[in-house]
Amino acid sequence: MNILGIDTSCDDTSAAVVVDGHRVLSSVVNSQVRLHHPYGGVVPELASREHLRNIVPVVNEALSRAGMDLKDLNGIAVTIGPGLVGSLLVGLYYAKALAYTHQIPTVGMNHLEGHILSIFLEDDPPPAFPFVALTVSGGHTSLYRVDGFGNYSLMGQTLDDAAGEAFDKVAKLLGLGYPGGIAVEELARSGSKEGVPFPRAFMGPASLDFSFSGLKTSVALYVRRWRESKEEMAGVKMADIAASFQEAVVDVLVHKTLDAVKRTGVGAVVIAGGVACNKALREKMRCEAAAKGVTLYYPRPAYCTDNGAMIALAGYHRLIHGKGADLSMDVRSRFPIEELASFDG
Ligand code: KG4
Ligand code: ZN
């Protein structure tokens, strides 16, 4: 079954062709990083206009790299939420037009389901169900128990900022530009993670929820004092601030994820989403999981960040279970995964 996946939920225009929910024939991502760079973050209006310019060439490129025509497709999977409304609209309405004119079955997808299942795009053997998935990106930080395709239970989520958002804000504070995650990680490599004792929000032993706004404020206050009185804080480099901040985020993500693993008794953890590219997170999670006899899985960076392939893969499982949608579907800026029509696959 040849599925075209389309994702325009934020600032990447992406399309991919995936066969039978696994074999990626093409995955094209047009990044808008340079467009948003001067503003230090995504400007929604600019993002939707750029999607309009890019959606047709990106989809055509995905089809051509896959050596396919629209008539070869058995389905279209398109992200309808969560995300920026203007951006989502472009992908959805283009998908609807293709589906209508070429009579192709179509399904509206939850972006987070794509991230959770992105590990199944890899060639290595995938984790067995059930597993715990941490989706950690610019818009989300959530822990799920995953019992099968289409079968997810939310265990915890951020009550304020997403971890990627905190990375982006700290990068901005330190003058590292946008997007911030990679820049903070690179700077942190030459710093000491014990340099500054930033707070960790564990919020009581029973909570699997996250909070990063206090940490963000703490870094902002520290940076202000550090800039004003360099002598007083002599010896602390900007790299130490980056490394200490990163360590505070990683500590909380690893602790809560392994707590979720302990509560569920599963043998595997998956991390996905843009922040899952972070090597400090991967390393600490891998070591601490291994110490508990648990295996860590993460997709390659191109499948961690937003891409159409993960949407095609997740859409395949919905379409084979008869969960396609009619063309009256619309975008949903907020779309909790618990509201997905579930099935056991
Ligand atoms: O999954 P993604 O491409 O888009 C969303 O769904 O949000 O994630 C983008 C986020 C950004 O906040 C970016 O700064 C962060 O992922 N990110 C990283 C790294 N690479 C990307 N954060 C920390 N370390 C990285 N290496
Ligand atoms: Zn994402």
Side-chain angles (χ1 to χ4, degrees):
M1 230 172 127
N2 305 325
I3 309 290
L4 170 67
I6 297 177
D7 185 276
T8 59
S9 58
C10 189
D11 60 338
D12 291 321
T13 315
S14 44
V17 176
V18 176
V19 181
D20 294 338
H22 173 68
R23 201 153 56 87
V24 182
L25 292 190
S26 64
S27 182
V28 180
V29 179
N30 187 298
S31 163
Q32 299 181 9
V33 159
R34 257 187 287 158
L35 175 72
H36 300 286
H37 188 271
Y39 307 95
V42 177
V43 183
E45 267 307 308
L46 294 182
S48 37
R49 274 184 233 159
E50 195 66 6
H51 284 307
L52 267 180
R53 274 184 212 110
N54 292 333
I55 187 74
V56 176
V58 165
V59 168
N60 286 346
E61 181 68 21
L63 288 169
S64 117
R65 283 193 206 170
M68 281 192 188
D69 222 332
L70 283 165
K71 64 172 171 25
D72 301 316
L73 294 178
N74 307 103
I76 299 177
V78 58
T79 302
I80 59 167
L84 299 171
V85 171
S87 292
L88 291 164
L89 279 171
V90 177
L92 174 60
Y93 279 81
Y94 188 56
K96 282 192 190 194
L98 294 179
Y100 180 73
T101 49
H102 297 271
Q103 293 300 301
I104 307 168
T106 300
V107 59
M109 299 300 303
N110 184 296
H111 183 76
L112 291 175
E113 186 177 29
H115 277 307
I116 290 174
L117 298 181
S118 56
I119 190 67
F120 290 89
L121 294 169
E122 290 297 352
D123 301 328
D124 300 331
F129 295 117
F131 59 81
V132 161
L134 171 72
T135 55
V136 66
S137 70
H140 316 278
T141 305
S142 313
L143 274 170
Y144 297 95
R145 178 191 163 109
V146 182
D147 282 282
F149 295 110
N151 194 339
Y152 319 105
S153 322
L154 181 67
M155 299 188 73
Q157 63 187 329
T158 183
L159 304 177
D160 40 55
D161 296 343
E165 200 180 342
F167 268 96
D168 293 335
K169 297 261 166 67
V170 167
K172 203 172 172 180
L173 277 170
L174 297 178
L176 300 177
Y178 169 85
I182 293 182
V184 171
E185 176 173 8
E186 270 167 18
L187 180 60
R189 244 174 249 144
S190 56
S192 156
K193 53 192 188 197
E194 283 93 35
V196 190
F198 288 128
R200 279 98 167 123
F202 289 111
M203 298 178 300
S207 175
L208 288 178
D209 287 332
F210 300 89
S211 167
F212 293 107
S213 64
L215 171 62
K216 197 180 68 187
T217 308
S218 174
V219 176
L221 293 174
Y222 184 86
V223 168
R224 198 196 298 161
R225 278 195 291 135
W226 177 76
R227 287 217 162 101
E228 282 166 2
S229 61
K230 281 212 168 149
E231 300 90 274
E232 192 190 319
M233 300 195 199
V236 177
K237 297 180 288 155
M238 199 200 270
D240 299 333
I241 301 176
S244 302
F245 157 77
Q246 177 174 270
E247 188 65 7
V249 175
V250 167
D251 262 359
V252 173
L253 293 175
V254 170
H255 176 87
K256 301 236 171 197
T257 305
L258 293 182
D259 192 0
V261 167
K262 191 169 154 205
R263 290 186 203 193
T264 48
V266 302
V269 174
V270 170
I271 54 173
V275 182
C277 296
N278 187 284
K279 294 199 184 68
L281 172 63
R282 290 177 172 199
E283 206 35 44
K284 189 159 194 154
M285 192 78 87
R286 197 184 55 73
C287 287
E288 299 212 3
K292 294 183 162 52
V294 173
T295 311
L296 172 67
Y297 295 80
Y298 49 80
R300 71 190 76 175
Y303 295 152
C304 277
T305 49
D306 291 350
N307 64 88
M310 67 185 193
I311 300 302
L313 146 78
Y316 163 81
H317 291 282
R318 293 209 159 257
L319 285 165
I320 59 171
H321 284 89
K323 299 286 178 197
D326 65 47
L327 293 183
S328 64
M329 64 182 159
D330 216 336
V331 298
R332 300 185 55 183
S333 60
R334 290 174 53 77
F335 183 5
I337 206 167
E338 309 82 276
E339 290 176 24
L340 278 178
S342 57
F343 54 88
D344 276 312

